[in-house]
Amino acid sequence: MNTEYKNMAGRLIVALDYPDATQASALVEQLQGIPCYMKVGMQLFYAAGPDFVRDLKAKGYSVFLDLKMHDIPNTVKGGAESITRLGVDMFNVHAAGGTQMMQAAYEGMNNALASDTSLTKPIIIAVTQLTSTSQAVLNEQIGVQGSIEDAVVRYAKLTASAGLDGVVASAQEVPSIGKACGKDFITVTPGIRPAGSHIGDQSRVLTPGEAIQQGSHYIVVGRPITAASNPREAAEQIIKEMMNVE
């Protein structure tokens, strides 16, 4: 396994969007040996619980726990402490919760790290606007005026000021986030669809290669891998496309 492949595979986050551990484990088995991240979201975590995350860690995977915490600061602080104790490598909150809430997440993480020196500091990111959010939904339903890009950049700057590591956003907004928050501010980009894939319920999508060209640090891919007839081949093809970016 060459270094370039290993590094790029480590920037691919596979979304384990399954209703139970049995189905998720079957995919994990098919991808064995590919050093990618695994994303555990609400559906799987609520069904399989912390033990599934521990199992992924025992298999050597990096884990992104995608629970999008958005609550009063004290509750988020406690949640962040518990998540950090679980040993995940990345987790998220909602930037819309505000500065105090995001800072509370950081405090909760630090509390866990202080009480157990064997733990590794996880990356904490904040959700800006979901990639399923269209301009009309943002303005007419959520009630936020202006463009999606404006809203995303505003949330990114708020996240940076709160001391978190980065944000979840569409790859389309990555260049603007980099200008506003610096190139080292981490961007995790869902809504990735290889050329020819069905976009499903996503509104703002790019291909893996386009996302890397835009400067995305990590890309999140679900159905193009999980629904593929050969998930391993699909994942390998995505990594190849990421590596071929000039």
Side-chain angles (χ1 to χ4, degrees):
M1 185 183 298
N2 65 52
T3 301
E4 182 186 7
Y5 173 88
K6 185 177 180 179
N7 289 340
M8 200 58 76
R11 296 171 65 180
L12 169 64
I13 301 175
V14 177
L16 299 176
D17 295 331
Y18 291 101
D20 56 57
T22 300
Q23 293 182 54
S25 295
L27 181 79
V28 171
E29 185 68 24
Q30 291 182 71
L31 301 183
Q32 185 176 4
I34 299 177
C36 57
Y37 252 85
M38 294 293 179
K39 182 176 82 71
V40 177
M42 285 183 260
Q43 182 183 27
L44 181 57
F45 188 76
Y46 295 157
D51 283 343
F52 186 81
V53 173
R54 295 188 184 100
D55 185 55
L56 286 174
K57 293 299 300 178
K59 287 181 169 65
Y61 286 104
S62 295
V63 177
F64 169 24
L65 187 56
D66 179 22
L67 299 183
K68 301 180 180 70
M69 289 190 292
H70 188 175
D71 213 311
I72 63 172
N74 193 58
T75 298
V76 169
K77 179 179 178 180
E81 183 170 350
S82 294
I83 287 172
T84 302
R85 290 184 191 281
L86 193 53
V88 305
D89 302 273
M90 181 187 296
F91 69 91
N92 58 4
V93 299
H94 262 290
T99 302
Q100 187 179 357
M101 189 207 76
M102 287 191 280
Q103 289 173 335
Y106 197 86
E107 291 170 14
M109 174 198 70
N110 278 335
N111 286 347
L113 296 176
S115 65
D116 185 349
T117 57
S118 70
L119 295 170
T120 301
K121 179 184 179 298
I123 296 168
I124 309 180
I125 54 178
V127 177
T128 53
Q129 287 295 330
L130 301 176
T131 50
S132 58
T133 301
S134 65
Q135 187 72 49
V137 168
L138 180 73
N139 298 155
E140 299 167 17
Q141 298 180 27
I142 299 176
V144 174
Q145 300 307 304
S147 70
I148 289 176
E149 184 173 313
D150 288 342
V152 167
V153 171
R154 183 171 64 251
Y155 278 137
K157 292 167 71 174
L158 190 68
T159 301
S161 71
L164 301 193
D165 301 298
V167 291
V168 181
S170 165
Q172 293 177 3
E173 286 99 43
V174 166
S176 297
I177 293 169
K179 289 178 183 178
C181 303
K183 298 300 182 184
D184 292 333
F185 189 68
I186 293 171
T187 47
V188 177
T189 57
I192 304 299
R193 292 289 185 271
S197 295
H198 181 59
I199 68 170
D201 56 1
Q202 303 285 1
S203 294
R204 308 193 317 282
V205 301
L206 289 179
T207 68
E210 289 170 340
I212 295 300
Q213 285 179 322
Q214 292 284 74
S216 296
H217 293 83
Y218 298 90
I219 68 168
V220 180
V221 183
R223 283 163 283 187
I225 293 175
T226 61
S229 57
N230 187 329
R232 186 181 190 87
E233 184 178 287
E236 295 280 14
Q237 184 58 41
I238 287 169
I239 295 168
K240 181 179 179 181
E241 183 179 341
M242 295 164 71
M243 291 172 64
N244 287 339
V245 171
E246 297 180 356

